[in-house]
Amino acid sequence: MKPLRPVVIQKSTVRYETPPGYQAQVNWGKFAVEWEGTTKQLYAFVMVHGYSAYNNTLFFR
């Protein structure tokens, strides 16, 4: 039987490597939290460093 899909010759993902200190990914989010009987809005700043995958997370009210 002939396969329905062609055979994949190349990998579908290519890793993007950078030296330490050259690249990071940043996200900013807003969400609601139940705290002491009331709903509060919280904000989060998240930065993931590309080389080490070290995660910095800061929360703001």
Side-chain angles (χ1 to χ4, degrees):
M1 266 174 81
K2 182 180 175 185
L4 294 176
R5 296 182 186 176
V7 177
V8 176
I9 298 171
Q10 228 176 355
K11 289 176 78 174
S12 62
T13 57
V14 177
R15 292 189 56 88
Y16 180 72
E17 298 289 341
T18 58
Y22 275 79
Q23 187 258 346
Q25 294 180 355
V26 176
N27 282 318
W28 178 260
K30 174 183 164 184
F31 51 97
V33 175
E34 287 287 328
W35 186 356
E36 298 176 353
T38 62
T39 302
K40 302 199 185 266
Q41 293 290 327
L42 289 180
Y43 302 90
F45 172 85
V46 181
M47 178 189 294
V48 180
H49 300 268
Y51 182 79
S52 65
Y54 184 77
N55 182 341
N56 294 93
T57 304
L58 300 172
F59 292 97
F60 301 93
R61 198 169 58 147

